[in-house]
Amino acid sequence: MAEPELGIRFQRRFLAARQLRSFPWLELEQNLQTSLDSSLLVDILHKHESTAAEPLDELYDALADILNEEESTRCYKNYLLPTGGCVTLSESVAIISGGTTGLVTWDAALHLAEWAIENSGVFSNRTVLELGSGIGFTGIAICKTCNPKTYIFSDHHHGVLKQLAENICLNGFVLEPETTQHIQTETGGQEAEATNYQNPKLIVAELDWGSVTGKQLLDLQPDVIIAADVVYDPEITLALIAMLQNLSTSRGDRKPPEVYIASTIRNPDTYHLFQAELDKVEIRWQIIPAPSNSTFLYDVQANVTILQLFI
C-alpha cells in the first residue's frame, strides 16, 4: 500500500476513534500530521490505557494494519564476508522510502567495503568517521574485519539513524550508551550474531553537513573519513566539501585525516563538478585502484570509483 493511502486510512480511523471517547487528543493529532508509523499509535494506545478507559478497537485495528504494512516494506539481507562471517541488515524493499534513499544498500557502499577489507591497515586501531552511513553496511563490515579503535557512523535523517542503530545491534555490537537512548532494537525473529571481534567503540551521530557546528567537528577528531554514494547532487557536494575543509582546520597541529570517497558515476557532469570544486578549494585528489577481488554481489556494470582526498 502506498504511504499516502496508508496515512489517509490511519487518519480516518484516528478521527473515528476520537469521536467515540473524550481524550486529550490535540497533541497526538498534531503528531499525526508528521508521523505515520506504529510508534505513534503505540503511544496513543498507552496514553489511552493509562486512563483506564474502555479499549478503542479502531485504534488496535489501525495498529495491526500499520504493523503489517511496515513488515511488508522491509526485508533482511545477509552479506557474506571473506572472513566467514556476515553482515545482516534490515533494509527497505523500495529504493525511496520514508522520503529518503538511505534505507537501502548501494553499490558504492559494497565497493568501498571490498576495498577496506583488502586495505584493513588503513582502519586498524584508528578512529573512523563515516559520512552518510545510511543503514550501516560499510561500517559494520569494517568493524567486523578491520579492527578500528572507534567507528563513528553518521547521517542526518532520523528514520535512517534509527534503522542504522538497529542494524548495528542486530550484528552483535553494542553502541555507546548516549547513542542508544530511545532506540529499541528489532531483530524480526532473527538472533543477533554472536561475535568474538575485538569490539571497537561504536557511535551513531546525527550530522547535518550544512549546519554542523565547530564544536561537533572538534569532538569527532577522526583519523580516517570515508563516505559512499554521497556525490549525487551539486548542493550536497558543496556542503560536503565545506565540512571537509572545516574538519581539516579544526584539528590544529594534528595530522589531517585520510579521506576516501566512493561514488557510482551516474551523471558524469555531477561527478566532474565535484572534482572541479575540490580543485577550486585546493583539495588534492587521486583515483585509487579498485579492489582486486569481488566479494559482494552488485551490478558489475556499475561505474564505481574511489577518490582519496588530501585535505
Side-chain angles (χ1 to χ4, degrees), residues 120-191:
S120 61
V122 172
F123 306 94
S124 179
N125 201 34
R126 305 182 82 186
T127 296
V128 182
L129 167 64
E130 183 181 2
L131 304 174
S133 296
I135 55 174
F137 172 78
T138 303
I140 293 170
I142 289 174
C143 288
K144 288 192 172 188
T145 60
C146 300
N147 193 31
K149 178 176 68 176
T150 302
Y151 199 97
I152 306 166
F153 298 82
S154 71
D155 213 290
H156 74 282
H157 188 280
H158 287 178
V160 171
L161 288 167
K162 181 177 183 295
Q163 192 61 53
L164 170 61
E166 291 176 0
N167 280 335
I168 292 169
C169 296
L170 181 64
N171 283 272
F173 290 107
V174 178
L175 284 166
E176 288 297 294
E178 65 270 18
T179 69
T180 57
Q181 291 179 354
H182 311 301
I183 294 174
Q184 294 180 343
T185 60
E186 298 176 3
T187 60
Q190 298 194 28
E191 296 295 330

Side-chain angles (χ1 to χ4, degrees), residues 27-41:
E27 178 186 352
L28 296 175
E29 187 170 5
Q30 289 172 344
N31 291 340
L32 176 62
Q33 305 305 317
T34 57
S35 176
L36 296 175
D37 63 11
S38 58
S39 61
L40 174 59
L41 260 181

Side-chain angles (χ1 to χ4, degrees), residues 118-279:
E118 291 186 4
N119 296 271
S120 61
V122 172
F123 306 94
S124 179
N125 201 34
R126 305 182 82 186
T127 296
V128 182
L129 167 64
E130 183 181 2
L131 304 174
S133 296
I135 55 174
F137 172 78
T138 303
I140 293 170
I142 289 174
C143 288
K144 288 192 172 188
T145 60
C146 300
N147 193 31
K149 178 176 68 176
T150 302
Y151 199 97
I152 306 166
F153 298 82
S154 71
D155 213 290
H156 74 282
H157 188 280
H158 287 178
V160 171
L161 288 167
K162 181 177 183 295
Q163 192 61 53
L164 170 61
E166 291 176 0
N167 280 335
I168 292 169
C169 296
L170 181 64
N171 283 272
F173 290 107
V174 178
L175 284 166
E176 288 297 294
E178 65 270 18
T179 69
T180 57
Q181 291 179 354
H182 311 301
I183 294 174
Q184 294 180 343
T185 60
E186 298 176 3
T187 60
Q190 298 194 28
E191 296 295 330
E193 180 184 357
T195 58
N196 294 314
Y197 314 110
Q198 183 176 338
N199 287 333
K201 178 180 179 182
L202 266 59
I203 296 169
V204 171
E206 182 177 354
L207 198 61
D208 186 331
W209 304 343
S211 61
V212 63
T213 66
K215 183 182 183 306
Q216 282 179 296
L217 297 179
L218 190 62
D219 290 342
L220 295 173
Q221 296 295 330
D223 302 308
V224 182
I225 299 172
I226 65 170
D229 228 334
V230 296
V231 180
Y232 57 86
D233 179 272
E235 290 186 10
I236 294 175
T237 295
L238 294 176
L240 169 63
I241 292 173
M243 192 186 66
L244 290 173
Q245 288 181 289
N246 290 333
L247 272 166
S248 178
T249 58
S250 69
R251 294 179 68 86
D253 296 332
R254 296 183 60 186
K255 182 181 177 181
E258 299 177 36
V259 183
Y260 302 93
I261 308 290
S263 302
T264 300
I265 304 176
R266 302 179 184 87
N267 184 335
D269 291 340
T270 301
Y271 184 69
H272 293 147
L273 173 65
F274 177 56
Q275 294 174 327
E277 293 295 334
L278 290 172
D279 292 337

Side-chain angles (χ1 to χ4, degrees), residues 54-119:
E54 294 181 15
L56 296 179
D57 292 340
E58 292 83 358
L59 292 184
Y60 284 103
D61 289 343
L63 177 59
D65 288 342
I66 290 174
L67 286 172
N68 181 62
E69 292 300 331
E70 288 179 350
E71 183 66 24
S72 68
T73 61
R74 286 190 191 180
C75 65
Y76 286 89
K77 292 185 179 180
N78 291 317
Y79 299 86
L80 297 179
L81 298 170
T83 56
C86 72
V87 174
T88 300
L89 298 180
S90 173
E91 300 192 14
S92 171
V93 298
I95 292 176
I96 300 176
S97 177
T100 179
T101 59
L103 293 170
V104 296
T105 299
W106 295 89
D107 289 345
L110 300 169
H111 189 88
L112 182 56
E114 288 178 343
W115 179 85
I117 292 169
E118 291 186 4
N119 296 271

